[in-house]
Amino acid sequence: MGRAQYTIRRVLQAIPVLLGVVTITYFLMEAMPGDPVSIMLGPSPSAQQAAAIRAKYGLDQPVWLRYLNYLWDVVQLDLGTSLYYEVPVTQKIMERLPVTVLLLVSSFTFAIVTSIPLGIISAQRRNKPTDHVARIVALLGVSTPSFWIGLVLIILFAYQVNWFPATNLVLPWASPAQVGVDSQFDVIVTSLHHLVLPTLSLGTLQMAALTRIERSSMLEVLGEEYVKLARAYGVKETTILRKHAFRNAQLPLITLLGLQLTSAIGGAVLTETVFSINGMGTLIITAINNQDFALVVGTTLVLGMVFVVGVILTDLSYAYIDPRVTFEEAD
């Protein structure tokens, strides 16, 4: 099976998953107590106003009919209209999705850049003080919620020493006039400065989990017979790590990267709330609080698609890391 065929097959396999996401989310929202019309118009709306709103958004139809109509609209790439914002759901998602993607990319970049060296050093110096420190850091990172890390970082570095801002995230694609700086480069520098605390808050869990996997994988590879043979031939330890052990130890890490997308997306919701970032997390919280059916289902569907795309890319990367892995085996 070629790469293109495998990709198409995985995309087709993702359709039932996304359908399940939409279905479960839709009927969970229907089961919630309360009335979105009452939230929009107040606790005592007139009968005429309530009837008009229900007719406008199709809330006067049976649940099963609304569900089928929604599925048909999704097939046509129409996610409906937000009850709360009174604009198309796709418009709000396009405004907020790049912010969440920026946060996810920055957190995973931090996690990968820090976890791989920590894991390698920890495995290379097994049961030594460096190894113990790395394992303690990884254990604390896995055990600590991202929102709590965010609150601690805000208290320490935003309020106590005032090194980093806690709110008002500056986006790297904003214009210099919006930020109040002279050039686009200054905008990017300002954005990186604002991203430090949210990135540490969201990326610590990923960093800790990846460090533990990298250490375990490196220990396993360093114990293989071909590594022992290389040492017997007098090959330098750095050469063994760089040419023989490193690449073979990355498959488990890649697998975990795809799985960590779920916790990262969930953590992004809390991180955006803590740092007042206007991304998909705060958008879905606002939608739930206001029982905005279309917006909740639409944002959940898009986040589900982000996860599915990440998993597919993870599978496709197997063959690049290890030539022994074929697309049939990756499936």
Side-chain angles (χ1 to χ4, degrees), residues 223-258:
E224 294 289 344
E225 293 299 327
Y226 66 89
V227 174
K228 295 178 180 179
L229 182 62
R231 285 175 178 151
Y233 276 104
V235 180
K236 294 181 179 180
E237 194 69 21
T238 54
T239 304
I240 292 175
L241 287 173
R242 180 168 50 89
K243 288 190 175 182
H244 303 288
F246 177 75
R247 187 171 183 176
N248 293 333
Q250 300 315 304
L251 276 180
L253 189 75
I254 293 174
T255 303
L256 187 63
L257 275 175

Side-chain angles (χ1 to χ4, degrees), residues 29 35-42 53 56-57 59 79-92 95-96 278-279 281-297 299:
M29 287 299 300
D35 183 10
V37 176
S38 298
I39 296 176
M40 293 177 63
L41 301 178
I53 292 295
K56 177 180 178 181
Y57 293 101
L59 298 176
L79 299 181
T81 302
S82 169
L83 295 173
Y84 180 74
Y85 293 101
E86 296 185 348
V87 297
V89 171
T90 51
Q91 177 181 330
K92 295 304 297 183
E95 291 174 2
R96 302 291 189 91
N278 291 323
T282 52
L283 181 64
I284 196 171
I285 292 296
T286 302
I288 292 173
N289 290 336
N290 292 278
Q291 291 190 340
D292 193 336
F293 295 98
L295 190 55
V296 171
V297 180
T299 50

Side-chain angles (χ1 to χ4, degrees), residues 166-205:
T167 56
N168 301 320
L169 176 65
V170 175
L171 302 176
W173 52 82
S175 65
Q178 292 176 314
V179 183
V181 294
D182 297 328
S183 65
Q184 195 65 39
F185 177 77
D186 293 332
V187 173
I188 295 174
V189 172
T190 304
S191 177
L192 292 175
H193 187 232
H194 280 72
L195 271 172
V196 170
L197 296 187
T199 297
L200 291 175
S201 175
L202 182 59
T204 299
L205 173 61

